Amino acid sequence: MDLKGFDQPGGPGAGGTRSVKVMIAGGFGTGKTTMVRSVSDIKPLTTEETLTQASAGVDHLIGVTDKTETTVSLDFGKISLNESLMLYLFGTPGQERFWFLWNGLFKGALGAVVLVDTRRLASSFRAIEEMERQNVPFVVALNVFPDSKDYPVEEIRDALDISAHIPVVACDARDRASSRDVLVALIRHLQERSAVALESR
């Protein structure tokens, strides 16, 4: 896939607009819906429902006690990185009871962003395992919350047990520019993987 110039908004594109499916994954409360909302060029489709007493003991709110809503199916948005590349964003539900939806959501995905809350690293272990199981290239985005500690990237990499070739970037999922930078990092990662694959032939 030729992605030359993708990170130059408004740059000339040859051959029309390419559409790419990208997953926004991660654990419960890591900021997936927030990222889709902040970066989407259109009003995103969300399937958030209010957390009720019925979810007590099922949805673990440790570290996210102020959370009042949860995604029960998916989030959807889209963003043009330039006039020749459109990303369709699919946000996954984070709770274990909705993980059965992931298989369908990942079909056709070119890559993924795994959002991580450094206060609750274990909440994103399953998302990383799923990327590896389905062989979906991904980047790790450390969503910075007000009370997040600033850990060295190598400590995070070791704690998540991810290899050195997987990009790890910090972001603020509430900020459009920051979220866009994460998507640019993902496309660059995909481009580099593609180049390496071509060289090895």
Side-chain angles (χ1 to χ4, degrees), residues 28-177:
F28 179 57
T30 54
K32 300 177 296 296
T33 299
T34 300
M35 175 171 278
V36 173
R37 281 178 174 160
S38 74
V39 81
S40 179
D41 290 338
I42 62 169
K43 182 178 180 180
L45 165 70
T46 62
T47 57
E48 291 224 306
E49 295 293 340
T50 302
L51 286 167
T52 66
Q53 190 59 37
S55 69
V58 178
D59 296 327
H60 303 289
L61 299 179
I62 298 171
V64 286
T65 53
D66 293 334
K67 189 170 175 61
T68 60
E69 294 181 321
T70 185
T71 299
V72 297
S73 179
L74 61 86
D75 300 315
F76 172 77
K78 66 179 183 176
I79 177 175
S80 296
L81 289 188
N82 64 19
E83 61 187 34
S84 65
L85 183 61
M86 172 78 71
L87 303 186
Y88 289 97
L89 310 174
F90 290 79
T92 65
Q95 312 91 308
E96 185 173 353
R97 59 193 166 115
F98 297 125
W99 285 350
F100 69 92
L101 296 169
W102 284 32
N103 284 336
L105 287 175
F106 274 84
K107 287 181 180 176
L110 190 68
V113 172
V114 175
L115 273 170
V116 170
D117 178 351
T118 57
R119 305 168 303 175
R120 303 178 299 117
L121 287 178
S123 68
S124 290
F125 287 170
R126 169 60 196 267
I128 291 172
E129 289 172 359
E130 194 66 15
M131 301 304 130
E132 294 171 343
R133 186 180 75 83
Q134 301 213 31
N135 197 28
V136 176
F138 67 98
V139 299
V140 170
L142 309 177
N143 193 10
V144 180
F145 290 85
D147 56 344
S148 297
K149 291 183 179 179
D150 187 16
Y151 295 100
V153 169
E154 289 312 309
E155 282 189 24
I156 297 292
R157 195 180 292 281
D158 288 344
L160 295 175
D161 193 24
I162 56 175
S163 61
H165 76 275
I166 296 172
V168 177
V169 295
C171 75
D172 182 342
R174 301 167 299 179
D175 182 76
R176 176 178 171 83

